[in-house]
Amino acid sequence: MRCDYHNGFLQVEDCDLGAIASEVGTPCFVYSRHALEQAWQDYDGAFGTRKHRICYAVKANDNLSVLKALQGVGASFDIVSGGELERALAIGAAPSDLVFSGVGKSEAEIQRALECGIGCINIESVAEVERVAIIAKRLAVQVDVALRVNPDVDAQTHPYISTGLKENKFGIPIDAAIAVYQRVADLPQLRATGIACHIGSQLTSIAPVVEAVTQVVRIAEALAVAGMPLEHIDVGGGLGIRYEEEQPPPVAELVAAMTRAIPERYTVVMEPGRSIVGKAGLMLTRVEYVKPNENRDFVIVDAAMNDLLRPSLYDAWHEVRPYAEASGGEAVRCDLVGPVCESGDWLAKDRTLAVRPGDLLAVLDTGAYGFVMSSNYNARRRPPEILVEGASFRVIRARETFNELLANERAHLIEK
Ligand code: LLP
């Protein structure tokens, strides 16, 4: 995302962040339309003439305007819940362009997906095979499915977002895959069109992905020999991004390595999320107080772990950039913390910043797994989301109101 200083103040594209903060308040998330479309096009371009389908992983950022922009450049979608299905349908995505992933799909979710005519269900267990077949039979429909296999490959990422190891809950053990495809072949309601894997998120090296894809191809080839040929190979999510010192390879390198490992006749399906929207977003927050402490000061800002959970949950590092290039104050070592009543409520630790109360700060690279992981903890209203296009911006999700916060609750007790 283009995020630089102009005349001493930070802009996203050609839009002044101070103007956004004054109009919509802080905290808020700001996204660049150009950056997210460009990131999608980088993936698309990397495939060249190779048969492929890029299904943006909605979980990374599910705002309707974000989805609409990506649909506009040609994206299909990877969804993991009934709610994400409704979001995709709300922007007019064709159900046939949707892949439904997830380890615990409920009956209601599967039924709704089948009723709409979902493109593919990525099935993660034998029990799910049976559940999908029963629902399809009841609805008298046939559905395309892929089996997500677990290749037992170490993605070398944070343990919470590693998904392709035997000890993780995801996928069908790769050694059991052929037997499960045989079961699928016996069920007339299911048509096995593909095979899927996903080894984890924030991937910064290609080798484990190629290792997993190679194993998956081996299964696909064995299935073809056994008279059960597949049409597509779903390689899972996309690349990691550079938050601090990480050095993810260029998208083109990952795509080239994967496509080399996959025979031409298969369509390659990919589900990138973070690398599409992560660097296309930031969170704006304002300094409330500066509280001196022995080793380093506490800079207490108006955003908290309920707005951006990644630092608290994964110890994640996000760059913090002041809105005003020269704030005038003296730079001090500090921790950036929020107002929530937990010591785990922090956004950045041990930074050197010159800040005073009232200053505006940008927490960078928060377009992915930012707003979507926000909550109402401490009865805080979830922040607004803003989309920048050139020199103008629009509120694409308003700040929650106190009325909305209380709307679904009743203070309802039985009289004593
Ligand atoms: N496909 C499947 C089946 C997935 O489980 C995921 C992410 C993706 C695709 C997208 O992966 P990506 O391209 O974004 O790496 N909240 C965590 C990330 C959780 C990712 C879970 N699965 C974070 O903030 O780092």
Side-chain angles (χ1 to χ4, degrees):
M1 166 166 88
R2 201 147 58 74
C3 176
D4 328 287
Y5 290 100
H6 286 264
N7 303 323
F9 296 101
L10 205 56
Q11 292 190 346
V12 162
E13 296 190 21
D14 301 316
C15 202
D16 179 65
L17 289 173
I20 295 179
S22 334
E23 193 168 319
V24 302
T26 51
C28 65
F29 283 89
V30 180
Y31 312 127
S32 153
R33 177 174 178 183
H34 175 76
L36 59 95
E37 290 176 346
Q38 185 60 53
W40 191 89
Q41 278 159 344
D42 287 348
Y43 274 99
D44 195 41
F47 280 96
T49 54
R50 196 51 208 263
K51 282 187 289 181
H52 68 282
R53 186 206 289 243
I54 303 163
C55 300
Y56 165 67
V58 172
K59 64 167 83 66
N61 184 325
D62 62 17
N63 184 284
L64 297 182
S65 292
V66 169
L67 302 185
K68 192 80 194 160
L70 291 171
Q71 182 195 35
V73 288
S76 298
F77 298 101
D78 169 54
I79 58 165
V80 292
S81 70
E84 289 189 358
L85 173 58
E86 295 309 325
R87 286 181 171 277
L89 296 175
I91 59 127
S96 57
D97 282 344
L98 305 179
V99 171
F100 195 172
S101 302
V103 72
K105 302 175 198 78
S106 71
E107 280 214 27
E109 286 174 324
I110 294 168
Q111 173 158 338
R112 174 87 171 119
L114 295 190
E115 282 167 351
C116 311
I118 191 97
C120 186
I121 298 195
N122 284 359
I123 292 183
E124 298 217 17
S125 62
V126 177
E128 190 185 341
V129 168
E130 304 302 332
R131 180 177 274 189
V132 173
I134 289 168
I135 299 169
K137 190 167 181 189
R138 197 164 66 221
L139 298 176
V141 294
Q142 197 193 39
V143 58
D144 289 355
V145 302
L147 297 187
R148 170 171 172 182
V149 300
N150 183 327
D152 195 23
V153 166
D154 185 356
Q156 294 153 21
T157 185
H158 190 287
Y160 284 13
I161 53 176
S162 169
T163 57
L165 286 169
K166 243 194 273 185
E167 70 218 45
N168 301 134
K169 67 183 173 183
F170 299 99
I172 293 165
I174 195 149
D175 297 336
I178 294 193
V180 184
Y181 274 101
Q182 269 152 354
R183 173 65 185 144
V184 170
D186 288 339
L187 295 164
Q189 300 80 23
L190 306 191
R191 196 172 78 96
T193 54
I195 184 163
C197 70
H198 172 78
I199 59 169
S201 191
Q202 184 55 8
L203 306 175
T204 50
S205 59
I206 289 177
V209 185
V210 172
E211 191 186 333
V213 168
T214 305
Q215 291 198 45
V216 164
V217 167
R218 188 172 48 81
I219 302 291
E221 297 291 85
L223 287 168
V225 170
M228 294 179 276
L230 301 177
E231 295 158 18
H232 75 261
I233 296 199
D234 182 336
V235 298
L239 273 175
I241 60 174
R242 184 183 170 98
Y243 289 104
E244 187 181 8
E245 302 282 292
E246 303 93 328
Q247 303 273 8
V251 166
E253 229 169 84
L254 172 74
V255 169
M258 275 179 345
T259 49
R260 264 199 304 276
I262 301 174
E264 288 264 348
R265 66 176 174 285
Y266 297 106
T267 299
V268 183
V269 176
M270 201 172 180
E271 307 161 351
R274 187 192 310 269
S275 46
I276 303 286
V277 288
K279 296 199 84 73
L282 56 77
M283 183 179 71
L284 279 179
T285 182
R286 212 177 271 286
V287 177
E288 296 279 9
Y289 303 98
V290 177
K291 185 170 163 181
N293 198 27
E294 213 166 284
N295 293 323
R296 44 189 201 242
D297 294 352
F298 290 115
V299 173
I300 303 170
V301 296
D302 63 3
M305 65 189 290
N306 76 294
D307 304 297
L308 180 69
L309 185 59
R310 301 195 73 256
S312 304
L313 189 58
Y314 312 115
D315 238 341
W317 195 96
H318 287 268
E319 183 183 339
V320 177
R321 221 178 258 182
Y323 163 65
E325 199 167 13
S327 86
E330 189 199 339
V332 291
R333 284 179 66 205
C334 58
D335 288 353
L336 212 70
V337 301
V340 161
C341 303
E342 294 213 23
S343 295
D345 175 30
W346 58 275
L347 299 174
K349 277 194 178 154
D350 203 4
R351 305 296 170 89
T352 305
L353 290 169
V355 285
R356 286 182 297 211
D359 283 359
L360 195 57
L361 300 172
V363 184
L364 300 192
D365 307 325
T366 46
Y369 307 112
F371 179 87
V372 286
M373 293 176 76
S374 66
S375 75
N376 292 120
Y377 188 37
N378 278 203
R380 288 167 56 85
R381 296 169 298 159
R382 278 174 300 164
E385 295 174 285
I386 285 89
L387 188 65
V388 170
E389 297 185 47
S392 64
F393 68 88
R394 255 167 316 142
V395 177
I396 55 173
R397 179 185 173 112
R399 188 182 307 282
E400 256 174 353
T401 63
F402 287 120
N403 280 343
E404 284 164 347
L405 198 62
L406 303 181
N408 293 328
E409 283 173 59
R410 305 287 173 272
H412 236 167
L413 302 178
I414 294 169
E415 292 294 329
K416 277 203 206 153

